[in-house]
Amino acid sequence: MSSPLTDRPTLRMVAKEAGVSVATVSYVLSGRHRSHTIKDSTADRVREAASRLGYRRNDAARAIRTGKSDLVLLSLSVLADPWSQAVAATVSTAVTPLGKTALIVADGDWRTVLSNRTPDVIFIDSVSPDAEQVAELEAFAAQGVQIVAFSETLEPRGFDVIRSGAEPRCHLAVEHLLEHHDRVGALTSRTNGFARFDAYLNTLRAAGKPVRDADIEIFERHPEGAYRAAMALLTKPDRPTAIYCTTDFAAIAAVRAAHRLRIDVPRELAIVGVGNTPEGEHLDPSLSTVGPVDFNDALARIIVSRLTDREGAPGEVFDFPWQLIVRESSKVAQ
């Protein structure tokens, strides 16, 4: 009975299909320097044969031979989020001089990539406490993959854990808005079992303020969806005078919607986001937010340090407490 491993096309099979030597196939498909001595027609024939057979480079085998894959995998849930973009840019800048390539995966689909590649380090920005997922992380860590996982609840089990303390601190944004506004609306990606939205509800109730369904809009998890939700909220005849947004990209969308509607921020509308992204800091007006300070640079340093051989290390916890950062989008004129 055959197995997926025995059925997998090999260099020898590609060489036979293309009518060339195994060495020629290796040079062409690896892109090594000597491939420039091979005729273009031969190289094309090799690539076509590899495509027909469904051949893929075995990076796991390469990692076994060399001990390095030269890949840093970034599993980012929402690539359109300025936070994800900033993480990718900062980490890529840090690892490129070391001869490493940052491979970015959208929608948290890191399992698929790990089935074909073996990165030296992987950062996963959203990990659930699901027992099966934790077991997968432990298994990959046991194979020598250095894993840095973002989770408020996981404990290190051969991999590192980053915690932000975000959940108990999002209330600071709502409290800040309530200091000068009776009506605080919300833009959120979901309402059930979402700690960032729960902070909005609980803070309003603790302040004795009613929770109005009309003051809440749910957005799709990308900037365009957030912009549409912001426009829907701001065009209501009786809109709130302040908005708490569960991500910075939603808050940025709200600022842009306000600009289009000629609503002055912050004089007529105060806005606060969550995440402390560089794009929010450089927005006009600059965005008030709740988030960690210097997180991206610190994450890059952690990843670079994990590029050294740490096989068998128990893992560490890195805590990045969040804080309220008041900027122009919510300041009250004196």
Side-chain angles (χ1 to χ4, degrees):
M1 180 177 178
S2 64
S3 70
L5 289 178
T6 58
D7 289 340
R8 181 172 183 167
T10 64
L11 283 176
R12 191 173 299 278
M13 294 167 64
V14 175
K16 182 178 180 180
E17 179 78 8
V20 298
S21 69
V22 172
T24 297
V25 173
S26 177
Y27 290 137
V28 171
L29 298 184
S30 68
R32 283 184 284 177
H33 182 68
R34 280 186 57 187
S35 64
H36 77 278
T37 65
I38 299 171
K39 292 181 179 179
D40 290 342
S41 59
T42 301
D44 289 342
R45 194 163 71 249
V46 169
R47 296 187 188 99
E48 289 169 2
S51 178
R52 283 197 300 273
L53 294 174
Y55 174 81
R56 290 176 297 185
R57 287 179 59 193
N58 190 340
D59 288 293
R62 178 179 179 276
I64 291 173
R65 293 195 307 271
T66 67
K68 299 287 184 180
S69 69
D70 294 333
L71 288 174
V72 174
L73 184 63
L74 302 176
S75 178
L76 305 172
S77 300
V78 185
L79 283 183
D81 189 335
W83 181 86
S84 296
Q85 295 171 3
V87 165
T90 304
V91 172
S92 181
T93 298
V95 303
T96 297
L98 304 177
K100 310 296 180 181
T101 299
L103 179 64
I104 302 167
V105 183
D107 299 323
D109 197 14
W110 49 271
R111 295 178 187 81
T112 301
V113 176
L114 287 180
S115 68
N116 299 307
R117 295 175 179 267
T118 305
D120 293 338
V121 181
I122 173 173
F123 168 65
I124 307 174
D125 74 351
S126 180
V127 179
S128 75
D130 176 74
E132 183 177 344
Q133 187 167 126
V134 174
E136 287 181 292
L137 293 177
E138 288 185 87
F140 284 121
Q143 294 171 19
V145 179
Q146 300 301 315
I147 300 171
V148 181
F150 198 116
S151 172
E152 301 294 342
T153 58
L154 288 185
E155 293 296 332
R157 299 183 183 180
F159 52 85
D160 297 312
V161 175
I162 286 181
R163 294 183 183 147
S164 67
E167 312 335 8
R169 291 171 174 81
C170 286
H171 72 279
L172 296 175
V174 186
E175 290 176 350
H176 167 63
L177 292 173
L178 285 172
E179 289 177 3
H180 300 284
H181 299 270
D182 290 329
R183 292 271 303 281
V184 176
L187 290 178
T188 181
S189 59
R190 62 186 191 274
T191 57
N192 294 323
F194 187 28
R196 294 185 182 187
F197 182 69
D198 289 342
Y200 168 76
L201 297 178
N202 295 336
T203 305
L204 285 187
R205 290 167 180 158
K209 305 291 185 181
V211 176
R212 297 180 173 91
D213 290 340
D215 289 348
I216 301 168
E217 287 289 337
I218 301 173
F219 60 85
E220 300 172 59
R221 296 183 65 189
H222 51 75
E224 293 80 7
Y227 180 80
R228 289 194 293 269
M231 287 293 290
L233 182 58
L234 294 179
T235 52
K236 292 180 180 180
D238 185 26
R239 64 167 177 80
T241 59
I243 303 177
Y244 162 74
C245 307
T246 58
T247 66
D248 266 9
F249 77 76
I252 292 167
V255 171
R256 290 173 176 161
H259 285 170
R260 179 176 178 180
L261 296 171
R262 300 183 183 279
I263 299 171
D264 185 277
V265 178
R267 189 169 58 85
E268 298 175 293
L269 177 71
I271 298 173
V272 177
V274 172
N276 191 25
T277 62
E279 185 176 350
E281 183 177 1
H282 300 128
L283 190 68
D284 184 18
S286 58
L287 184 66
S288 295
T289 187
V290 174
V293 176
D294 297 327
F295 173 82
N296 294 343
D297 289 336
L299 173 62
R301 288 194 294 271
I302 292 169
I303 288 176
V304 167
S305 73
R306 290 329 184 234
L307 289 171
T308 58
D309 185 9
R310 295 180 63 256
E311 186 172 352
E316 298 180 36
V317 173
F318 298 90
D319 193 8
F320 293 88
W322 284 26
Q323 56 187 278
L324 174 67
I325 302 155
V326 178
R327 300 192 181 108
E328 295 171 347
S329 70
S330 65
K331 281 187 176 179
V332 176
Q334 300 298 323

